[in-house]
Amino acid sequence: MRNVSRAVIVGSPRITGLTVDVIAELVAEVGPLWTEQRHRRLVQRQRVRAVGAGARYKLVFVDRLLVTLVHLRHGVTHDVLACWFGVDRSTVTRAVGEMRPLLAQRGCQVEPGIRLRTLAEVIEYLGASGRAAIIDATEVRVRRPAAGTAGRDRYVSGKSKQNAVKLLVVTDARGRLLFGGALRPGSCPDITQARDAGLVELLRQQGSLEVLADAGYQGLGAQTGGQVITPPHRKFKKNAPPWWEELFAQQRRAHASQRIRVEHGIAHLKNWRALARHHGRRELLDEIVPAAACLAAAGQARQQQPKTAR
């Protein structure tokens, strides 16, 4: 049954959102890292038996990777995955816990041999290539902190009126996902999150990079010398002339038509259902968000490839 499950998952991009080629690349890249990690864990303590002795894993590396991909893509519970692959639930939990940080370390691949893992690397890459960036914040709904927890109310989002964690998303002008992270509690304003992530200092170092943003980032333009471009302000609060209202609407539509690409990038990110609503520990999002971002970027690259005519 496990061989059948493996063949179904690998052969259907609808299950993982990734092609066979991308999964093969993941196996070739993450496999040695997982083997090295496992070896370090085995040799760091005194042992009675030699490393490699004893029973073999019921869930081999490829199955561990596929279990993690299905869990992140569809939010399938560990119990269901354990039944699907014929192992115990604890085996699936351990496998996901091992694979998730390895996937998070990969970063978003933009070109062969170039991976972006931090916001500083993203800004430097875009500045060197002369491309514009688009930023926005999105929320991941989380469980309400337990009563009596310090800072419990900080997770209540003023926008969605729910307990959430906010993450910063950066794409290029085409909507290609480049970064997802800089997590903050849901009550944190978008502009404060960007400042805390060091965006202002990074843009000052680049000097010429343009960043499109929505009205939640108004104020960053003045701090960055106009590098952050937000929708125009409303000049007249009332009794505005008709010609100005038409010009104002045209300017906002032109800005929104360019900024909408980041919403497409967020949609690709939220296709990984582990970020639609997170039921586990909030601190695990520090691993889940970058892992889902690198996988979503790989899935975007697959969808943006030109289709061959039949």
Side-chain angles (χ1 to χ4, degrees), residues 270-286:
K270 290 297 184 70
N271 279 337
W272 295 82
R273 307 305 294 174
L275 296 181
R277 181 178 180 182
H278 182 62
H279 297 275
R281 300 196 305 271
R282 290 180 298 278
E283 56 269 20
L284 291 181
L285 285 172
D286 290 330

Side-chain angles (χ1 to χ4, degrees), residues 37 39 195 213 220:
Q37 172 182 276
H39 182 74
R195 287 169 177 161
L220 285 185

Side-chain angles (χ1 to χ4, degrees), residues 61-93:
F61 166 74
V62 175
D63 292 337
R64 289 171 180 263
L65 176 62
L66 295 178
V67 160
T68 306
L69 293 179
V70 175
H71 172 68
L72 293 175
R73 179 71 177 180
H74 297 285
V76 180
T77 63
H78 294 182
D79 288 316
V80 172
L81 291 171
C83 295
W84 197 357
F85 282 84
V87 295
D88 191 76
R89 179 186 182 278
S90 60
T91 301
V92 173
T93 301

Side-chain angles (χ1 to χ4, degrees), residues 8 29 43 64 66 106-107 134-135 184 194 239 262 270 272 276 305:
V8 171
E29 181 179 346
V43 301
R64 289 171 180 263
L66 295 178
R106 296 184 70 248
I134 313 176
I135 65 171
R184 293 293 184 274
N239 299 327
V262 72
K270 290 297 184 70
W272 295 82
Q305 290 177 352

Side-chain angles (χ1 to χ4, degrees), residues 212-229:
L212 298 180
D214 61 12
Y217 296 93
Q218 287 181 347
L220 285 185
Q223 296 180 358
T224 59
Q227 289 179 265
V228 177
I229 303 174

Side-chain angles (χ1 to χ4, degrees), residues 136-157:
D136 199 2
T138 186
E139 295 179 351
V140 178
R141 187 178 177 185
V142 297
R143 295 188 300 179
R144 187 180 186 185
T149 303
R152 186 188 190 198
D153 295 338
R154 293 189 302 121
Y155 289 93
V156 179
S157 168

